[in-house]
Amino acid sequence: MVEKVQKYQFLFSELVKRDFKQKYKRTSLGMVWSILAPLLNLFVLDMVFSAFFRREQEYFTIYLFSGVLIFNFFSESTKGGMASLMANAKIFTKVNVPKYLFLFSKNVSALINFGLTLVLYFIFCLIYKIPFGPHMLTLIFPVICVTLFNVGMGMVLSALFVFFRDVQYLYDVFLTLLRYMSAIFYTVTRFPLQMQRLLLLNPIYAYIKYFRMVVIEQTIPSFEYHVMCLFYALAMLGLGFWFYKKYNHQFLYYV
């Protein structure tokens, strides 16, 4: 796969550039929206929910920002990945190129936007005087896990979307449900311990919690927690590759 990506490196870079141009086409601020959009989202959520949870959670704005950061990355990456095959059907039906390149380009675009927002996240941490130290380097791990998870999820969604167009509407409903199940704007300490553990069955919440543990609680998650996060990422990635391998030759008949 690495050899194929290198072989089609020019096409891949052009796909990433095109994604950015299409996303910010006819906008006055352009890429500034990559930072401004999550910032405005954070402002609204903070204004609404801070009255309820600020007393329960130290650094509530950072707590909230951690959830927004990870969830937005997941949402943008997977929604873009879902439409990647259909949006590029005119290309791969005429030219023999690896179809996963279109999905990867969407994920790279989302990862760049995530990186820009992450810089803003760290600026907020400095403003709220959160201590920085070597433990912050461990945040690389959940970022890698989320990225792999997004690629796998995008593969599954893009394959399903080729055969069933209804997937896009069902996925919007799923994202709404997932947003409420990921404890983005509420604290989980009020829940029984068993319920808190059940929430860890949600991979997105697990990655959000990882960020909060390192940044807010100043602690590094246990080895078992790392294994869990990695398992979610590799399991979804494996499922995604299985979907592509199984249905790869059928895509041409349905696009």
Side-chain angles (χ1 to χ4, degrees):
M1 177 178 293
V2 177
E3 294 179 355
K4 286 188 177 181
V5 173
Q6 291 176 344
K7 180 180 179 181
Y8 296 99
Q9 184 176 1
F10 176 77
L11 173 62
F12 184 72
S13 61
E14 289 300 312
L15 287 172
V16 175
K17 292 177 184 177
R18 186 199 62 179
D19 291 340
F20 269 98
K21 289 179 181 179
Q22 288 181 344
K23 183 174 183 178
Y24 301 110
K25 187 178 181 180
R26 295 181 181 177
T27 60
S28 301
L29 298 179
M31 285 188 63
V32 175
W33 280 112
S34 297
I35 297 176
L36 190 58
L39 188 61
L40 292 174
N41 187 21
L42 174 68
F43 175 75
V44 172
L45 291 174
D46 189 48
M47 183 174 61
V48 172
F49 295 104
S50 61
F52 299 99
F53 302 109
R54 188 174 294 278
R55 293 181 180 179
E56 298 180 13
Q57 177 62 51
E58 186 181 14
Y59 302 117
F60 179 73
T61 300
I62 303 300
Y63 179 91
L64 188 62
F65 203 165
S66 300
V68 171
L69 179 72
I70 298 297
F71 189 86
N72 283 0
F73 178 35
F74 168 77
S75 177
E76 178 186 355
S77 181
T78 53
K79 290 189 73 173
M82 176 173 60
S84 60
L85 286 181
M86 293 302 301
N88 295 280
K90 292 182 180 179
I91 298 178
F92 68 76
T93 53
K94 298 177 181 178
V95 183
N96 185 22
V97 295
K99 299 175 184 63
Y100 52 75
L101 287 180
F102 306 110
L103 175 79
F104 287 176
S105 69
K106 291 292 185 180
N107 277 270
V108 170
S109 299
L111 183 60
I112 293 173
N113 286 333
F114 171 77
L116 294 173
T117 311
L118 187 62
V119 172
L120 183 65
Y121 176 79
F122 287 134
I123 292 175
F124 266 67
C125 289
L126 291 172
I127 292 174
Y128 282 87
K129 298 180 180 179
I130 289 181
F132 276 71
H135 65 284
M136 287 289 193
L137 294 175
T138 60
L139 294 178
I140 296 174
F141 180 79
V143 172
I144 293 174
C145 287
V146 177
T147 302
L148 296 178
F149 188 89
N150 290 347
V151 171
M153 188 75 170
M155 282 182 158
V156 173
L157 290 171
S158 61
L160 291 175
F161 187 51
V162 169
F163 303 118
F164 310 104
R165 302 296 192 271
D166 296 338
V167 169
Q168 60 180 324
Y169 305 109
L170 293 174
Y171 191 61
D172 284 337
V173 176
F174 172 77
L175 282 178
T176 301
L177 176 63
L178 187 67
R179 182 178 289 107
Y180 286 102
M181 293 178 60
S182 299
I184 294 174
F185 49 81
Y186 60 85
T187 57
V188 300
T189 52
R190 59 175 59 191
F191 297 153
L193 187 59
Q194 186 176 3
M195 176 64 75
Q196 295 181 35
R197 290 174 178 172
L198 284 175
L199 284 173
L200 290 173
L201 295 175
N202 173 4
I204 303 306
Y205 170 71
Y207 299 137
I208 291 173
K209 182 176 174 62
Y210 192 113
F211 257 72
R212 289 168 174 168
M213 290 174 70
V214 172
V215 176
I216 299 176
E217 300 176 20
Q218 299 286 298
T219 60
I220 298 176
S222 65
F223 174 77
E224 291 77 14
Y225 199 95
H226 282 82
V227 172
M228 178 186 67
C229 290
L230 187 60
F231 170 77
Y232 285 144
L234 295 181
M236 182 54 70
L237 186 64
L239 181 62
F241 275 111
W242 179 82
F243 259 82
Y244 261 53
K245 184 177 181 179
K246 183 175 178 64
Y247 299 106
N248 179 52
H249 299 294
Q250 298 182 34
F251 292 154
L252 295 174
Y253 302 106
Y254 287 88
V255 292

